[in-house]
Amino acid sequence: MENCLFCKIVAGEIPSTKVYEDDRILAFRDINPQAPTHILVVPKTHIADCNAITADNACVVAHIFTQIPKIAAAENLTGGYRVVSNCGADAGQTVQHLHFHILGGKALALEMA
Ligand code: 5GP
Ligand code: ZN
């Protein structure tokens, strides 16, 4: 997808601090961390947001969720962590490429809205 920031990160056109990578997904550190550990996990294929998840592409989303606990363990998030995906303007989504935030490393505030 042209002009998609996370497609460019996946392609290596924009540098990122990689945490995990395989043939289908990439995890990298958020440039503006909101917690001591703040990682973004993205599919390498362009999916715009949660609304664009379909039966045909859901496999990569399931794969992301099988890797998230491994990434969290590698980051020593033994006290727990939060997984967030913002979908659309009201949620504050700023990058239109599906991504899951992993937040941890401290006791997180409980406010969700
Ligand atoms: P959203 O607000 O769409 O849920 O999350 C987008 C996230 O991408 C934000 O937390 C923001 O800090 C992060 N971000 C934006 N631009 C870049 C970048 O160029 N590199 C990295 N690593 N993260 C970015
Ligand atoms: Zn993209």
Side-chain angles (χ1 to χ4, degrees):
M1 178 66 73
E2 265 180 52
N3 290 325
C4 170
L5 177 65
F6 289 173
C7 281
K8 288 180 179 170
I9 285 178
V10 166
E13 293 166 13
I14 292 174
S16 68
T17 305
K18 292 181 187 179
V19 170
Y20 174 79
E21 181 173 21
D22 63 30
D23 56 330
R24 286 180 282 168
I25 69 173
L26 175 68
F28 54 95
R29 296 197 191 281
D30 196 292
I31 203 167
N32 182 25
Q34 303 299 308
T37 299
H38 188 170
I39 293 165
L40 302 172
V41 191
V42 306
K44 288 191 169 180
T45 52
H46 183 86
I47 300 172
D49 57 27
C50 288
N51 286 336
I53 299 171
T54 66
D56 285 340
N57 64 25
C59 213
V60 72
V61 179
H63 180 57
I64 284 173
F65 274 85
T66 66
Q67 295 306 314
I68 282 174
K70 298 177 187 173
I71 293 167
E75 293 286 318
N76 291 313
L77 299 180
T78 52
Y81 56 92
R82 183 171 291 157
V83 180
V84 175
S85 188
N86 295 317
C87 182
D90 280 0
Q93 183 180 7
T94 59
V95 180
Q96 314 307 314
H97 180 128
L98 181 66
H99 53 282
F100 296 91
H101 300 254
I102 302 174
L103 297 148
K106 69 171 185 179
L108 299 165
L110 293 175
E111 291 85 21
M112 294 296 284

